[in-house]
Amino acid sequence: MLRRCNIMQHVDVTAQNPRQPLTGADPAIAEHTAYGVAYRVRRSRRPSLSVRITPTGVEVRAPFWSSTSDIERLIYDRRDWIIKTSQATSARVRNWLHLVPGGQILWRGHPVPIALFLSKHDAAQFTDDACLIYSRTGCVPLDALEAELLRIARDTLPRRVRRMASLAGITVNEVAICEDSTAWGTCNLFKDVRLNRRLLLLPTELTDYVIAHELAHCIELNHSPRFWAQVARLDPLWRQRREELKRYSIMLTPFSVFAKAARPDGTKFGG
């Protein structure tokens, strides 16, 4: 299984000296700034602090009992990493997903321009070198965009899975496309493979790596050395692909988040 938690850019920090929950701690997200870094804090019953970079900024996930000084210490310790990763993520978002008329969207590993046409109905269509958007309002209809991705994924990805499985002599049961998921793909005990429609945005070789990963689970439902041997049989460059896939973890984020992250001047967070 390839989930977001395995590939999101984040750092977990085991909490030191746990204390009782702070009285009246608010679990809602709060905005803060420390050491020149603007960040949000989301509190929950988690056991440790973590920081991750999202399309909308820096987010710290904290236990209810953690203090402001605990969080600021984390920001201080990871400041260089946070700034470097934020800048890199911001650049990728600007280049890959600028969901406005005249913007661009990643398609099979390459940014293609978004051409918008006023229409009585919302629709989307991908060509080899463009994303054609038909809109009633003049804005990019995100639901129509997601629906077109789902249609194309259902039409193409299952065939790729079964072709690779046939060539490798692997038995696979049902192949389906996930409408909403935080994983690139999953495989269960019954050899059912589920793939994310966002795989269409990735370079072809990374999509094939995800397929190889899930097909290997049809033989080994774990991540043991035997499992990775099966992955290597399907994709000899799997180590390289696995590292490259990490760069695309933000593509699992709902399009609505990217749209909210856009500013009037066309830049994203950190831009």
Side-chain angles (χ1 to χ4, degrees):
M1 179 185 297
L2 286 172
R3 287 193 176 278
R4 174 201 296 271
C5 60
N6 293 332
I7 53 183
M8 278 295 291
Q9 305 223 36
H10 72 281
V11 173
D12 285 323
V13 179
T14 303
Q16 302 293 326
N17 301 321
R19 294 179 291 278
Q20 294 298 318
L22 297 175
T23 303
D26 186 357
I29 295 178
E31 303 284 343
H32 301 275
T33 301
Y35 303 106
V37 175
Y39 61 94
R40 298 184 304 274
V41 176
R42 185 193 298 270
R43 293 185 180 274
S44 66
R45 295 185 180 278
R46 59 181 295 116
S48 62
L49 286 168
S50 72
V51 58
R52 66 174 187 165
I53 311 303
T54 76
T56 55
V58 180
E59 182 176 285
V60 174
R61 296 189 172 185
F64 285 127
W65 47 259
S66 61
S67 67
T68 300
S69 61
D70 291 332
I71 295 171
E72 291 185 348
R73 187 180 306 114
L74 172 64
I75 295 297
Y76 177 80
D77 290 342
R78 302 302 303 172
R79 182 177 181 275
D80 290 345
W81 177 89
I82 289 170
I83 292 175
K84 179 180 178 180
T85 306
S86 293
Q87 291 173 344
T89 302
S90 178
R92 287 197 291 270
V93 170
R94 284 196 301 269
N95 292 332
W96 292 350
L97 281 177
H98 189 193
L99 302 179
V100 298
Q104 67 277 333
I105 183 172
L106 198 67
W107 178 242
R108 292 173 178 163
H110 302 285
V112 297
I114 295 174
L116 188 141
F117 306 91
L118 291 177
S119 173
K120 294 181 180 179
H121 305 284
D122 292 338
Q125 178 184 357
F126 284 92
T127 67
D128 290 339
D129 54 8
C131 175
L132 309 180
I133 296 294
Y134 303 90
S135 171
R136 295 171 298 163
T137 64
C139 298
V140 176
L142 302 182
D143 289 345
L145 188 59
E146 293 278 23
E148 179 65 359
L149 281 176
L150 182 61
R151 184 192 69 78
I152 298 173
R154 285 175 170 168
D155 185 54
T156 61
L157 292 181
R159 291 203 302 268
R160 290 172 66 175
V161 173
R162 295 196 182 280
R163 182 167 59 248
M164 186 182 294
S166 176
L167 291 173
I170 295 175
T171 300
V172 61
N173 188 23
E174 181 183 351
V175 181
I177 306 302
C178 303
E179 294 191 33
D180 294 290
S181 175
T182 59
W184 290 115
T186 63
C187 179
N188 62 23
L189 182 64
F190 304 102
K191 302 185 179 182
D192 297 324
V193 171
R194 301 285 186 272
L195 298 176
N196 196 307
R197 56 184 164 186
R198 299 292 183 86
L199 286 170
L200 295 174
L201 307 179
L202 304 185
T204 301
E205 63 271 17
L206 295 187
T207 300
D208 286 342
Y209 162 69
V210 173
I211 292 173
H213 185 109
E214 301 312 328
L215 286 179
H217 278 312
C218 290
I219 300 174
E220 295 287 342
L221 201 60
N222 51 57
H223 288 99
S224 66
R226 293 190 305 275
F227 165 79
W228 291 112
Q230 292 296 330
V231 175
R233 182 168 70 93
L234 297 167
D235 186 351
L237 297 179
W238 67 270
R239 287 186 175 87
Q240 176 183 329
R241 313 287 195 220
R242 183 176 62 179
E243 290 304 307
E244 181 68 11
L245 186 62
K246 295 177 182 179
R247 298 179 59 243
Y248 293 87
S249 63
I250 57 173
M251 305 307 290
L252 290 169
T253 306
F255 284 156
S256 58
V257 174
F258 291 103
K260 291 177 182 178
R263 298 172 181 159
D265 62 358
T267 63
K268 306 285 194 212
F269 80 95

